[in-house]
Amino acid sequence: MKSIYILITLFIIALSTLAGACQRHKNTGVTSPDEQAEIKMLKQEIHDSIRTFNVNFAKEAILKGKNVAKDSDDYYDFVLYDVILLFYMSQPDSMLNNLAQTMDYLSRQPATSRRNQMHIKCLQTKAAYYSQFYLDPDSLVYYNIEACKVAEQEPDFEQQILCLNNLADAYRQKGELAQSAFYYKKAIYLADSAHTAKDNYVPLYGGLAATYTTLHDFKQSKIWLDKSLELWELMMTHEKFNYLTNRGNDYYYQKDYLNCLNTFLQTDTFLRAHPELEWEKYICHSNIVDVYLKLNQPQNADSLLFDNIAFFQKMQSETVLPYLYTQQMELAMQKKDYKQAEQLIQKHPLPEGTKPDHILARLDFLQRYYTEQADWKKAFQYQKAYNELNDSLRDDRVRMRTADLQMRYERDATILNQKLYIGEKETQLLQTYTWLAISVSILILLVLLYYYRRKQMRFKEEQMLHRIVELRMENIRNRITPHFIYNALNHELLAQQQGKPTQLHVLVNLLRQGQNLANVFCTSLKEEMDFIQLYVQIEGEALGENFRYETILEEGIEPEHVTLPSMMIQIFVENAIKHGLKDIPAEIDARMEKKLILHIFKKENDIYIEVRNNGKPLNLQNRDHKTQTGLRVVSQTIQLLNERNKQQMSYNLTEYRDAKGETGCCAQLIIPNNYNFNIN
């Protein structure tokens, strides 16, 4: 699984589609029309037999073609067909011998369009040779690049598209996914420009979809898979197989194993109608084994995996076997046969040149295996290696986007050059317009630069102002915190000195909550009320049994949804207790009920918060330094907030008299509706 790429099949099909034509190298006679027709028919038969893997028929047709050919180019066309067949039959020595003969012949002949096509065949066959028999992805890429260079010398767009597709396949085989996507898209743009036949898009869409699948960009992979499906009726048999495999792989990478299994079972059903596609059948079975293992169904995977390994060992396919050995290790682990799993690990290390996704599969297995064996050191090493390789593949997304932009730029530049060539006679007028446009552009740029710099300076000034505000607010908050802590601690020390019971646990909660409120600029009314409740609980002890604290919350007010500056109401409460209720003369204190009332109500959609006490009226003209500290915090906080609001928050201290004639002091805070407490 994991995008098992049938490189050999693609190269056989690609190479066999390059047509040739006429004359054995030993003769110089002229080929008659009947002989030309026979040669053309033989080439078509060879082409069809290779595509259907009818080896014996292909051998006979190639031998007959060599005997019939009188033109040297025709003869070496049949030699190249022989090379392709030997490649499929895994006979590299004979293949290289024929390939060397053809390359030697081409090196001694002047270049023609037809010989360039033969040269491309040779380069692509050599690329496939190094990939298949030596697992050398660098050589695979190098010879495909050389083939593209030769193809660029020809006006045949379909030839160029085919070479770009093979180069993209090579980069995908190497694991350079950004380059792979670049050349797939370049081939697609070339096909669009040349208005080529629709069937030429089939391998391009499929290859690009597989690249995005490997990158886990499933949104893009779905787009290109859907485009491939639209061309289903134009696909040849092996292309339909490739489409179904790519679709299954996409589900696999998304971990949608049920849809994945259904897709591969559908592929298996499709292949039963094509018994000649034996290689594809075992590739499909390998994919099915992979899904069964992911679904923890080793009993279903066992027999299939045994047959798959036997087939690919017989075929000496070093590109597929490493992954099958990983499946075999996974199967042993799921069967709890750790001894066999360890033996397989030692027996089948990954060979050099293994595909990146096959390496990832092995690393993932090893990490899970050694975790299950409690060998944490090895498990960590393989997890680290897996993450590094996986991250490097995912980073290709960025490079792929860059490559896409570069390709679009190159395409646009080509179109621009064509337009300039067509309008050559209007060059002088265009130059005039160009200089005028440049001058206007420079002027506009200068104006924009001026306004940009001006806006930037304003922005920096605003940022600086915001920072000053933040520092001022931080300074204000830091001033109230120690002021409150000193008062609370003094109260507890005095209680200890007088032999009274202390409430240290309440004090601790009070100090902790007070510190939390001091660290934030704004809080909810509910949190402020909770804090005041703790504060009054401590301070109320010093006021005696005749002290009563009451909270009046009128209907329609939700404290948790009302915002206000933190600890602001606490300042009013503290001043009411300290300077109102505690300063009552002794002769009055013993016979009066001390009242502290927190009244919250709405008036014209504004929030009113009043703190009233019936103690000594506050002398507004003669407040001590500590009283002024708290009220100064209130004033400065409100001033800073009002600078950013049209509606103004306010507070006031007044004497009050109730209906019974009782007098005292009232501190009132008014918060407008929809007031903005953000100072940034």
Side-chain angles (χ1 to χ4, degrees):
M1 178 97 201
K2 294 278 181 78
S3 184
I4 292 179
Y5 176 63
I6 315 171
L7 182 66
I8 181 172
T9 304
L10 291 179
F11 272 103
I12 289 171
I13 301 303
L15 295 173
S16 65
T17 55
L18 296 172
C22 305
Q23 211 180 71
R24 185 169 182 173
H25 68 296
K26 295 190 260 185
N27 302 319
T28 58
V30 177
T31 306
S32 67
D34 291 340
E35 291 172 331
Q36 291 177 359
E38 183 180 7
I39 289 173
K40 183 177 181 181
M41 182 182 67
L42 281 171
K43 288 182 178 180
Q44 185 61 47
E45 290 174 348
I46 295 169
H47 174 72
D48 294 338
S49 61
I50 289 178
R51 292 173 69 164
T52 57
F53 307 112
N54 190 342
V55 176
N56 293 329
F57 183 88
K59 281 183 180 180
E60 295 176 2
I62 290 170
L63 182 60
K64 184 177 180 180
K66 289 180 180 179
N67 293 327
V68 170
K70 296 180 180 179
D71 181 88
S72 297
D73 289 348
D74 275 341
Y75 176 84
Y76 281 103
D77 257 337
F78 287 109
V79 172
L80 282 175
Y81 278 124
D82 205 9
V83 167
I84 296 169
L85 190 62
L86 290 168
F87 178 88
Y88 172 71
M89 296 169 63
S90 296
Q91 297 180 16
D93 294 337
S94 300
M95 167 191 157
L96 279 183
N97 183 48
N98 287 348
L99 189 60
Q101 291 180 28
T102 307
M103 294 287 283
D104 179 67
Y105 164 74
L106 293 174
S107 67
R108 292 183 283 104
Q109 304 298 322
T112 63
S113 178
R114 181 177 176 188
R115 287 168 185 156
N116 281 340
Q117 289 187 354
M118 295 171 66
H119 192 193
I120 291 170
K121 274 189 184 181
C122 292
L123 291 170
Q124 291 179 336
T125 307
K126 208 162 189 178
Y129 165 82
Y130 279 105
S131 175
Q132 175 67 14
F133 300 109
Y134 289 94
L135 300 179
D136 185 356
D138 291 326
S139 296
L140 173 66
V141 170
Y142 170 80
Y143 285 108
N144 273 293
I145 290 175
E146 294 300 311
C148 286
K149 290 179 181 178
V150 177
E152 288 175 357
Q153 302 173 16
E154 298 298 318
D156 186 351
F157 287 113
E158 291 193 357
Q159 177 68 68
Q160 294 179 30
I161 292 168
L162 178 61
C163 288
L164 288 172
N165 178 67
N166 287 339
L167 180 56
D169 288 337
Y171 274 118
R172 183 154 61 93
Q173 173 81 357
K174 189 179 179 182
E176 293 185 14
L177 303 179
Q179 286 291 85
S180 175
F182 173 85
Y183 284 104
Y184 279 129
K185 289 189 175 181
K186 187 172 183 179
I188 290 171
Y189 288 143
L190 182 59
D192 289 342
S193 301
H195 302 290
T196 186
K198 284 292 183 181
D199 55 356
N200 288 326
Y201 288 86
V202 172
L204 302 178
Y205 290 167
L208 190 54
T211 301
Y212 278 117
T213 296
T214 305
L215 285 168
H216 291 193
D217 190 343
F218 302 117
K219 181 179 179 181
Q220 285 295 320
S221 64
K222 184 180 185 303
I223 290 173
W224 295 103
L225 282 170
D226 290 345
K227 284 179 175 289
S228 296
L229 183 57
E230 294 173 3
L231 303 176
W232 176 266
E233 297 301 327
L234 300 176
M235 294 182 189
M236 293 182 289
T237 302
H238 75 280
E239 290 172 334
K240 291 180 178 179
F241 164 76
N242 288 340
Y243 164 78
L244 291 170
T245 300
N246 288 337
R247 181 69 79 173
N249 287 341
D250 198 67
Y251 285 130
Y252 181 91
Y253 274 99
Q254 295 181 62
K255 299 183 180 180
D256 186 355
Y257 298 123
L258 292 179
N259 276 327
C260 180
L261 180 60
N262 289 334
T263 302
F264 287 133
L265 291 176
Q266 178 186 351
T267 308
D268 187 47
T269 302
F270 167 79
L271 290 172
R272 288 175 188 174
H274 303 278
E276 72 279 3
L277 299 181
E278 189 178 23
W279 176 285
E280 284 79 357
K281 181 185 78 172
Y282 284 100
I283 287 291
C284 178
H285 288 177
S286 299
N287 294 336
I288 293 173
V289 167
D290 212 354
V291 182
Y292 279 142
L293 292 174
K294 289 297 181 183
L295 294 172
N296 292 315
Q297 299 177 12
Q299 68 281 2
N300 293 332
D302 202 348
S303 60
L304 281 177
L305 180 57
F306 178 83
D307 293 338
N308 293 341
I309 292 176
F311 173 80
F312 286 108
Q313 283 177 340
K314 178 182 177 182
M315 298 299 296
Q316 298 180 351
S317 176
E318 295 301 323
T319 57
V320 180
L321 282 172
Y323 192 78
L324 299 185
Y325 293 143
T326 302
Q327 291 181 340
Q328 194 175 18
M329 298 170 194
E330 179 71 28
L331 180 63
M333 186 174 73
Q334 291 191 17
K335 289 182 175 182
K336 306 299 181 182
D337 190 349
Y338 298 112
K339 182 178 180 180
Q340 183 188 13
E342 188 65 34
Q343 290 175 349
L344 290 170
I345 292 171
Q346 300 301 323
K347 183 179 179 181
H348 300 297
L350 291 176
E352 185 178 352
T354 302
K355 291 177 58 181
D357 47 353
H358 291 181
I359 297 174
L360 283 175
R362 180 68 63 87
L363 292 174
D364 177 66
F365 162 78
L366 291 172
Q367 181 270 326
R368 290 183 290 105
Y369 172 79
Y370 285 112
T371 298
E372 198 163 318
Q373 295 297 306
D375 190 340
W376 308 116
K377 181 178 180 181
K378 287 186 177 180
F380 171 76
Q381 290 173 345
Y382 287 116
Q383 180 65 47
K384 182 180 179 182
Y386 176 90
N387 290 338
E388 289 175 352
L389 179 57
N390 192 48
D391 289 345
S392 70
L393 290 176
R394 302 302 163 251
D395 286 343
D396 275 347
R397 290 187 183 184
V398 177
R399 294 198 297 273
M400 189 165 69
R401 292 191 184 101
T402 304
D404 186 40
L405 291 175
Q406 178 186 349
M407 181 174 57
R408 292 183 182 183
Y409 166 77
E410 291 176 352
R411 185 188 181 202
D412 292 343
T414 301
I415 295 172
L416 179 60
N417 288 334
Q418 292 174 351
K419 290 181 179 179
L420 290 174
Y421 178 78
I422 295 172
E424 188 175 9
K425 293 183 179 181
E426 301 177 1
T427 301
Q428 186 174 1
L429 184 59
L430 283 174
Q431 287 178 347
T432 303
Y433 287 150
T434 300
W435 283 112
L436 180 60
I438 291 173
S439 301
V440 173
S441 298
I442 292 174
L443 180 61
I444 294 174
L445 183 61
L446 291 174
V447 173
L448 291 176
L449 183 61
Y450 168 75
Y451 281 106
Y452 172 75
R453 291 294 298 274
R454 187 175 176 182
K455 184 177 180 181
Q456 193 176 43
M457 290 179 66
R458 288 181 180 176
F459 177 72
K460 288 182 178 179
E461 289 175 359
E462 186 69 18
Q463 279 188 321
M464 189 178 298
L465 180 60
H466 285 182
R467 183 56 181 160
I468 291 172
V469 170
E470 289 175 358
L471 292 174
R472 289 172 64 188
M473 289 305 304
E474 184 178 347
N475 180 50
I476 290 171
R477 304 313 306 155
N478 289 335
R479 287 166 61 185
I480 188 59
T481 304
H483 174 69
F484 164 70
I485 292 173
Y486 296 151
N487 289 342
L489 288 176
N490 283 335
H491 173 269
E492 290 300 318
L493 290 173
L494 181 60
Q496 284 186 344
Q497 291 172 1
Q498 294 175 352
K500 297 179 180 180
T502 63
Q503 302 185 65
L504 287 177
H505 66 285
V506 179
L507 178 59
V508 169
N509 290 336
L510 180 67
L511 292 176
R512 182 181 294 112
Q513 191 169 346
Q515 187 62 39
N516 290 337
L517 289 176
N519 288 333
V520 296
F521 178 57
C522 292
T523 186
S524 69
L525 177 58
K526 183 179 185 308
E527 291 179 341
E528 185 83 359
M529 292 171 65
D530 292 342
F531 177 70
I532 291 171
Q533 184 68 38
L534 289 172
Y535 178 80
V536 172
Q537 185 177 349
I538 293 176
E539 290 288 353
E541 293 292 331
L543 296 175
E545 295 180 356
N546 58 343
F547 169 70
R548 180 171 64 88
Y549 170 64
E550 181 182 0
T551 301
I552 303 174
L553 182 64
E554 293 197 359
E555 187 178 354
I557 298 177
E558 299 178 353
E560 60 272 13
H561 296 149
V562 177
T563 303
L564 74 164
S566 62
M567 296 184 72
M568 183 170 285
I569 305 303
Q570 186 274 337
I571 295 173
F572 295 155
V573 172
E574 181 179 354
N575 286 339
I577 293 175
K578 184 173 182 181
H579 303 294
L581 298 176
K582 284 186 176 180
D583 286 350
I584 298 174
E587 62 274 13
I588 301 175
D589 181 273
R591 53 188 174 81
M592 73 171 288
E593 183 183 24
K594 300 174 186 177
K595 297 179 182 178
L596 178 63
I597 300 174
L598 177 60
H599 186 196
I600 306 163
F601 60 94
K602 265 189 178 183
K603 185 177 179 182
E604 296 179 354
N605 289 328
D606 294 341
I607 302 293
Y608 284 71
I609 304 174
E610 290 184 350
V611 178
R612 301 196 300 266
N613 71 87
N614 63 343
K616 180 182 177 182
L618 182 63
N619 187 346
L620 300 179
Q621 304 299 323
N622 187 25
R623 291 175 291 190
D624 62 22
H625 175 70
K626 294 182 179 178
T627 303
Q628 291 177 359
T629 298
L631 295 179
R632 192 180 301 114
V633 169
V634 174
S635 297
Q636 291 180 354
T637 302
I638 291 176
Q639 181 183 355
L640 290 173
L641 287 169
N642 282 342
E643 290 176 0
R644 286 156 179 76
N645 285 276
K646 291 183 179 180
Q647 294 178 302
Q648 301 290 285
M649 185 193 302
S650 63
Y651 86 100
N652 56 73
L653 299 176
T654 60
E655 294 186 14
Y656 86 97
R657 182 181 298 272
D658 63 11
K660 297 179 181 180
E662 194 173 47
T663 61
C665 181
C666 176
Q668 185 182 70
L669 177 67
I670 304 172
I671 304 175
N673 187 33
N674 297 324
Y675 193 80
N676 179 21
F677 288 90
N678 184 12
I679 64 170
N680 293 322

